[in-house]
Amino acid sequence: TGRGPQNDHAGVLELKIKDFITDFYSPLIKDRLPEITTEKEPPVISFIESKARLAEPHLRSFVLENLKRFHGSSKWWKQGLPGGVKSEIDKKWAAEIERKAYLKREKRNNEHKFEYLGLGELMSTIIYGQNWEDIFRDIFQNKTSFERRIKDIMVLRNPSSHNRKADDQDILDGIGGLRWLSRCIDDHDLNPYT
């Protein structure tokens, strides 16, 4: 009759099958399922990936605000960005101006260019020269941990940006990176648990 441990295992097996086939129902054990509690599931993956996509613009705004505060609103571009980042962004900006000539007349070109910085360039900018020591060290504390956490977010963000599926490790690392970043920059919108 399937009572005892065998029935318990059948109930666990049914729950595992339901992870993949949500409408699965086993008629053989319908009245004899033991009450099995499962661990609380992590937030929905698409929700977590959407938080990862928010990380870049939120960190960009945070970095820009701090660069302007430290270097001044007229010197932040020249003094606060690594040369390689500026060169790369200038190339992207030139291509954008070819498409949209009116952008050349914009008064805040550097701020518009800054919008082209991705997480990798933002990470390079944060650890660049005196930026780390004078601006960001007190916020992020440890450069190695900072780089690791940003890379964790990048790994989670990149599959969703390129239509690849993130695996379990990407998700766990990304959740940790998002939670850490949200607490460091005091941005609750990035926290996957809120």
Side-chain angles (χ1 to χ4, degrees):
T1 60
R3 303 214 183 267
Q6 187 177 6
N7 194 45
D8 292 347
H9 292 302
V12 170
L13 180 60
E14 181 177 12
L15 289 173
K16 292 295 181 189
I17 292 171
K18 282 185 176 188
D19 283 345
F20 299 97
I21 305 171
T22 56
D23 59 347
F24 176 79
Y25 178 71
S26 174
L28 298 175
I29 60 172
K30 68 178 181 178
D31 295 328
R32 294 172 280 164
L33 273 178
E35 200 56 44
I36 299 174
T37 57
T38 57
E39 202 174 297
K40 185 179 178 185
E41 290 184 88
V44 178
I45 302 309
S46 62
F47 175 74
I48 295 168
E49 289 174 340
S50 71
K51 295 285 188 173
R53 283 189 297 275
L54 287 177
E56 186 177 292
H58 285 235
L59 184 59
R60 188 182 305 116
S61 295
F62 179 80
V63 170
L64 180 58
E65 177 184 316
N66 280 283
L67 288 175
K68 283 180 171 184
R69 185 179 310 128
F70 183 77
H71 294 292
S73 60
S74 63
K75 296 180 182 178
W76 67 271
W77 178 262
K78 288 182 180 177
Q79 295 177 352
L81 271 73
V85 168
K86 281 190 275 197
S87 298
E88 203 55 41
I89 299 307
D90 282 337
K91 286 178 193 173
K92 290 178 184 178
W93 184 249
E96 193 68 9
I97 286 177
E98 280 184 31
R99 288 184 347 100
K100 303 173 187 173
Y102 61 87
L103 289 175
K104 195 167 187 151
R105 292 188 304 271
E106 293 282 329
K107 292 186 189 265
R108 296 176 8 212
N109 274 348
N110 289 339
E111 288 177 17
H112 287 291
K113 289 181 196 179
F114 197 76
E115 292 174 11
Y116 287 89
L117 267 70
L119 284 172
E121 289 104 353
L122 290 167
M123 181 171 59
S124 296
T125 300
I126 289 169
I127 62 175
Y128 171 67
Q130 288 302 112
N131 287 350
W132 178 260
E133 291 300 322
D134 295 336
I135 306 170
F136 298 108
R137 183 181 192 162
D138 287 343
I139 297 164
F140 299 114
Q141 296 297 308
N142 182 292
K143 194 184 292 188
T144 304
S145 292
F146 166 74
E147 290 174 305
R148 188 184 114 234
R149 294 300 189 171
I150 295 301
K151 287 176 183 175
D152 289 344
I153 296 168
M154 289 168 68
V155 167
L156 180 59
R157 184 191 167 279
N158 288 342
S160 67
S161 295
H162 301 289
N163 294 324
R164 292 189 309 260
K165 185 174 165 70
D167 68 15
D168 292 345
Q169 192 61 53
D170 294 338
I171 293 164
L172 291 172
D173 291 345
I175 288 171
L178 286 166
R179 185 167 186 266
W180 178 87
L181 181 61
S182 75
R183 296 174 114 194
C184 287
I185 67 173
D186 197 28
D187 187 336
H188 303 291
D189 290 340
L190 297 177
N191 190 335
Y193 294 103
T194 59

